[in-house]
Amino acid sequence: ECGYSTWRHDEARQIDAFLEVSEAPVGRVYWYGLQDLHPAESSQDGFHFDERHYHLGVFDASHRPKLLARGLEAGGADALRGLQSLWAGAPRLVKPDHHPVVITGGAGFLGANLADRLAWEGRSVLLVDGLKRPGVEKNLEWLLARHGERIQVEVADIRDPYLWRDRLAGAEAVFHFAAQVAVTSSLDRPREDFDTNASGTLNLLEALRSLPAPPPLFFASTNKVYGDLADIEFSRKGEQWMPTDPQLGARGIDETRPLDLHSPYGCSKGAADQYVLDYARMFGLPATVLRMSCLYGPRQFGTEDQGWVAHFLISALRGAPVSIYGDGRQVRDVLHVEDAVEAYLAAWREIHAVSGRAFNLGGGPENAVSLHQVLGAIERLTGRSMALSYAPTRPGDQVWYVSDTSRFADATGWQPRRPWIDGLAHLHEWAAEFFGAAPRTEHETEGRLSACASP
């Protein structure tokens, strides 16, 4: 009998241990166990006498598959060895003569696109990712195939307070994208959301503060820090909701708007947002915050909870129905990932101008579209009518959100370049090639792809 506890969120090490014992010269191995012990129960030694006893499962206490379970479901030991190859032999420490760019959440959508750009420019990149989101291992495979040794992989969770020991010294810059990204998940598991978004960010900030010359930090925040914008009056204009104040509609939300944290997700990201700004103010860390609107583009495996543009398009390619929360006239300013990458690089170039400041980042009024407008464009691209159903608006959802990016443009010279209709065509080209005409379900490729969406 053997097992491995993921109490430090080190699910990759659980796979290492499983594969090691699978080769033991014995007739049978009993792996302990199938599912984590529920935190309200007592272990054999008493109520939380030893925290390790609560994390021995291949599924967590809510029966969500850990990395080991996902690999076993995908193809057994061969699939596990394929996963292990992503981090096997990866350096655990940053060498004194090595100066990588560190990206947390580096296997995710934005992280993978930024890593690709940096590696093409000849930089070394250290990706830190817990591989929690199904499918992101595909992004790691893609990056390693394209860039080889320029990409280093550290499969780890930012909730681990000991993660950053000796990993940041000498780094050129740190882009912090790792997060729990879904409002819905934060409502189900508020403490996990807080531990990941707020405490995880504090772990990183404290590690940076301990360095004699900390590298610049770029934090991806969210427009959700402004709440549901319920104080703004809206009226229907065709297929869109628009502010009755025409100047606001033409300009967008700027950074003078007070924070109004709604949902555990909004609270945890808002707390992290403010911690980053305060560490810049109080400790002199070179750090800036970009409050993101809706990103879309290649390498995005959209789901119900996050990545709605890609989710709509992938659903259309599959011929799957889509549920809309609200009336479909909600508006967001969408930003292509290539423009987002340019924005983060612009912030790095102008770190002295942007340090200690927060900026709204999105496609702006020129790329403000409703869900119905995006759905109509997808139907024209795919040549398929989509089956839609409607559900009530979710609590805290914004009827309209458009970023005023003028403050960031003034500081860096950045402007979004790709119009949303061209960017959607680019996403369609990638998705059609990646998934094929009728892509398999996310359970078969990236996890279980939901057929619902909310911006």
Side-chain angles (χ1 to χ4, degrees):
E1 178 183 319
C2 54
Y4 187 93
S5 174
T6 61
W7 71 287
R8 284 180 55 180
H9 316 291
D10 49 350
E11 294 183 13
R13 305 289 83 77
Q14 190 179 47
I15 287 181
D16 292 340
F18 186 91
L19 288 174
E20 182 179 0
V21 301
S22 71
E23 298 172 356
V26 296
R28 179 174 295 179
V29 171
Y30 291 92
W31 184 263
Y32 187 80
L34 179 64
Q35 183 169 323
D36 285 351
L37 183 64
H38 193 279
E41 303 294 331
S42 294
S43 72
Q44 59 188 8
D45 293 326
F47 187 66
H48 289 269
F49 177 81
D50 188 336
E51 199 63 29
R52 293 172 297 177
H53 292 170
Y54 287 80
H55 303 276
L56 287 160
V58 298
F59 293 84
D60 70 12
S62 300
H63 205 68
R64 291 177 296 167
K66 298 180 185 177
L67 199 55
L68 175 56
R70 281 165 42 199
L72 290 171
E73 288 178 337
D78 288 342
L80 292 176
R81 293 188 183 95
L83 282 171
Q84 189 185 51
S85 69
L86 298 176
W87 62 79
R92 293 287 175 260
L93 303 176
V94 175
K95 299 177 181 178
D97 60 344
H98 187 66
H99 304 287
V101 177
V102 178
I103 306 177
T104 75
F109 163 50
L110 177 56
N113 277 277
L114 177 60
D116 183 55
R117 170 67 179 275
L118 292 169
W120 275 122
E121 292 180 351
R123 297 181 186 274
S124 296
V125 185
L126 172 60
L127 306 181
V128 180
D129 201 298
L131 303 184
K132 298 291 186 182
R133 187 178 178 91
V136 295
E137 62 272 11
K138 301 294 184 183
N139 287 340
L140 281 189
E141 293 170 3
W142 174 71
L143 287 168
L144 290 168
R146 285 166 67 84
H147 302 294
E149 293 184 355
R150 286 181 181 167
I151 301 295
Q152 301 173 66
V153 179
E154 178 81 20
V155 180
D157 194 297
I158 60 170
R159 289 175 290 179
D160 181 355
Y162 309 108
L163 168 63
W164 298 112
R165 179 181 172 86
D166 301 323
R167 285 172 174 78
L168 295 174
E172 281 196 275
V174 179
F175 294 87
H176 181 29
F177 303 151
Q180 192 295 112
V181 297
V183 173
T184 50
S185 296
S186 77
L187 294 170
D188 292 336
R189 295 175 292 276
R191 180 169 293 280
E192 180 180 309
D193 173 84
F194 180 87
D195 289 344
T196 302
N197 293 345
S199 295
T201 299
L202 186 59
N203 290 338
L204 176 56
L205 287 168
E206 279 292 273
L208 289 170
R209 186 167 73 95
S210 71
L211 299 176
L217 171 66
F218 305 89
F219 175 61
S221 186
T222 171
N223 64 60
K224 294 296 190 291
V225 300
Y226 296 122
D228 61 5
L229 309 181
D231 60 306
I232 300 176
E233 293 185 2
F234 298 99
S235 61
R236 178 178 166 183
K237 184 178 180 181
E239 286 299 306
Q240 295 185 330
W241 287 105
M242 292 291 291
T244 55
D245 178 354
Q247 291 186 344
L248 179 59
R251 184 182 67 246
I253 301 291
D254 67 22
E255 296 83 358
T256 63
R257 183 171 183 85
L259 301 190
D260 185 18
L261 308 182
H262 287 208
S263 80
Y265 171 73
C267 290
S268 65
K269 290 293 285 187
D273 177 313
Q274 294 299 288
Y275 262 98
V276 171
L277 294 177
D278 197 60
Y279 267 58
R281 177 169 50 236
M282 301 302 294
F283 302 116
L285 291 185
T288 191
V289 169
L290 299 183
R291 294 170 181 161
M292 310 293 292
S293 190
C294 295
L295 301 187
Y296 71 99
R299 315 307 310 177
Q300 185 178 38
F301 305 112
T303 68
E304 161 183 42
D305 296 318
Q306 196 264 348
W308 63 275
V309 176
H311 171 64
F312 285 174
L313 181 53
I314 294 168
S315 297
L317 290 171
R318 293 178 62 226
V322 169
S323 292
I324 304 296
Y325 293 96
D327 62 7
R329 298 183 180 89
Q330 304 99 303
V331 170
R332 298 292 183 272
D333 62 320
V334 295
L335 181 67
H336 191 274
V337 68
E338 290 178 357
D339 283 329
V341 167
E342 289 292 344
Y344 277 94
L345 295 179
W348 188 4
R349 288 192 298 268
E350 303 295 338
I351 182 59
H352 296 297
V354 302
S355 183
R357 303 170 67 188
F359 301 90
N360 294 342
L361 185 66
E366 298 81 7
N367 294 288
V369 289
S370 70
L371 275 63
H372 276 169
Q373 288 175 300
V374 173
L375 288 165
I378 288 173
E379 288 182 332
R380 292 189 291 273
L381 281 169
T382 61
R384 300 181 183 185
S385 296
M386 298 182 67
L388 305 178
S389 61
Y390 292 84
T393 301
R394 288 175 170 173
D397 193 15
Q398 297 160 332
V399 171
W400 174 92
Y401 180 86
V402 174
S403 307
D404 179 350
T405 62
S406 59
R407 185 185 191 191
F408 189 68
D410 290 343
T412 66
W414 174 90
Q415 292 286 349
R417 296 183 180 275
R418 192 183 284 263
W420 76 269
I421 196 69
D422 293 344
L424 188 64
H426 184 219
L427 174 59
H428 173 253
E429 181 182 352
W430 169 79
E433 179 180 357
F434 186 90
F435 292 102
R440 290 173 289 177
T441 64
E442 189 178 328
H443 177 68
E444 297 169 312
T445 54
E446 281 75 45
R448 295 176 177 83
L449 178 66
S450 171
C452 304
S454 177

